[in-house]
Amino acid sequence: MRFWVGLGFFSLLLAAACVGDGKRDIRDYYFPVEELRRGQVYEYDLAQGDSSSPEYWYYRTFQRDSGLFLAGTYYDSRFQIGQIIREKIVNEGVLAREYSLYDPDFETGKQIQTNAVIESPDLFPFRVKDSTGVSVFSLHYQPAADPSTTIYLTRQRIFLGDAPAFEMHGMVYPCVRFGLVESIGTRKVGDAAINGRGEEWYAKGLGLVYYRKTFGSKENRVTFEYRLKDVFPMSELEKKAEAYFGG
């Protein structure tokens, strides 16, 4: 009896320690996995200026014996697949399980799939503390156009607290933000890596709604800045593609 009383007391102490660890639960700010079982397309477009260059991510949740997964497929403005990622949802956060990239084959006009090797799978943490925790995602792959070369990507996410609220279709969503530090290179002697910095905003009940990445030096700087424009079913994306290709 004493053993069970002692064990229960220890469990209460452990639970209290976890609650009081100063970390914030932000799992509701990631994509709403339970609502994505039928799949939805997230349309992003340029956040600044009057020009348009949309990109699309089709997200769909599926259940397996090994757990809950979220698959994301990226389509560019010409409706060509560029990436497919499969993520596993766990108690601590989101982990990358498979990552494929697609390059055009100019001889056949088809897309060539390349499977990346995931070195560090951490994509999104569910429990965070301001500016003290860093999630590291990294992979490497051989591009189809040059299989003798290995490209390495490392992306660090640093939690930065609350972001400005996001508005879309008359709804206002509270947001959190992450700082981004990226490095892309080949790790060959004499080859300089391309380093970038940026920021992401995630809206509660919606997921990623804004991102900005800047690469290069002051003299040769390139910035990508996108904002969520709309969310709709795959059938709507198919209509957009049909219109683009003339039916």
Side-chain angles (χ1 to χ4, degrees), residues 51 101 122 124 132 150 163 172 177 189 207 235:
S51 59
L101 300 101
D122 297 338
F124 189 95
T132 59
T150 301
V172 179
R177 75 173 87 201
V189 177
S235 58

Side-chain angles (χ1 to χ4, degrees), residues 34-210:
E34 291 298 333
E35 299 175 16
L36 292 173
R37 292 183 181 271
R38 293 188 176 182
Q40 287 283 79
V41 175
Y42 280 58
E43 178 184 4
Y44 299 89
D45 209 342
L46 299 174
Q48 303 292 336
D50 298 327
S51 59
S52 176
S53 181
E55 59 183 36
Y56 308 91
W57 277 92
Y58 175 61
Y59 289 104
R60 185 170 184 176
T61 304
F62 58 97
Q63 186 75 45
R64 293 289 183 268
D65 292 340
S66 56
L68 186 64
F69 293 85
L70 179 66
T73 303
Y74 165 78
Y75 298 86
D76 63 19
S77 59
R78 297 174 298 171
F79 303 96
Q80 296 292 316
I81 293 179
Q83 304 173 41
I84 295 179
I85 182 171
R86 189 176 75 160
E87 309 168 0
K88 185 174 184 180
I89 312 300
V90 298
N91 291 333
E92 297 78 17
V94 183
L95 305 176
R97 283 293 177 250
E98 295 178 4
Y99 205 113
S100 299
L101 300 101
Y102 292 79
D103 293 317
D105 185 339
F106 297 106
E107 294 183 359
T108 64
K110 298 180 179 180
Q111 297 288 95
I112 304 176
Q113 177 181 328
T114 301
N115 295 322
V117 176
I118 298 171
E119 298 176 341
S120 179
D122 297 338
L123 290 173
F124 189 95
F126 285 159
R127 292 183 58 79
V128 294
K129 197 169 184 178
D130 287 2
S131 304
T132 59
V134 178
S135 296
V136 180
F137 170 69
S138 63
L139 57 76
H140 67 265
Y141 68 97
Q142 286 79 36
D146 186 9
S148 63
T149 299
T150 301
I151 296 177
Y152 294 85
L153 165 68
T154 299
R155 178 181 297 130
Q156 300 179 45
R157 285 186 172 90
I158 305 98
F159 182 66
L160 299 178
D162 291 325
F166 177 78
E167 298 184 25
M168 188 176 73
H169 302 329
M171 299 287 290
V172 179
Y173 302 84
C175 295
V176 295
R177 75 173 87 201
F178 283 84
L180 293 175
V181 179
E182 289 193 6
S183 178
I184 305 173
T186 63
R187 294 185 186 173
K188 289 183 179 179
V189 177
D191 286 355
I194 300 174
N195 298 311
R197 290 183 174 271
E199 190 169 306
E200 290 178 333
W201 297 359
Y202 290 83
K204 190 173 184 178
L206 198 56
L208 179 66
V209 295
Y210 168 84

Side-chain angles (χ1 to χ4, degrees), residues 218-236:
K218 292 182 178 179
E219 298 77 17
N220 190 23
R221 180 174 294 177
V222 177
T223 298
F224 303 92
E225 187 174 10
Y226 275 75
R227 177 183 177 91
L228 182 64
K229 181 180 179 181
D230 203 358
V231 179
F232 46 77
M234 172 55 80
S235 58
E236 182 67 23

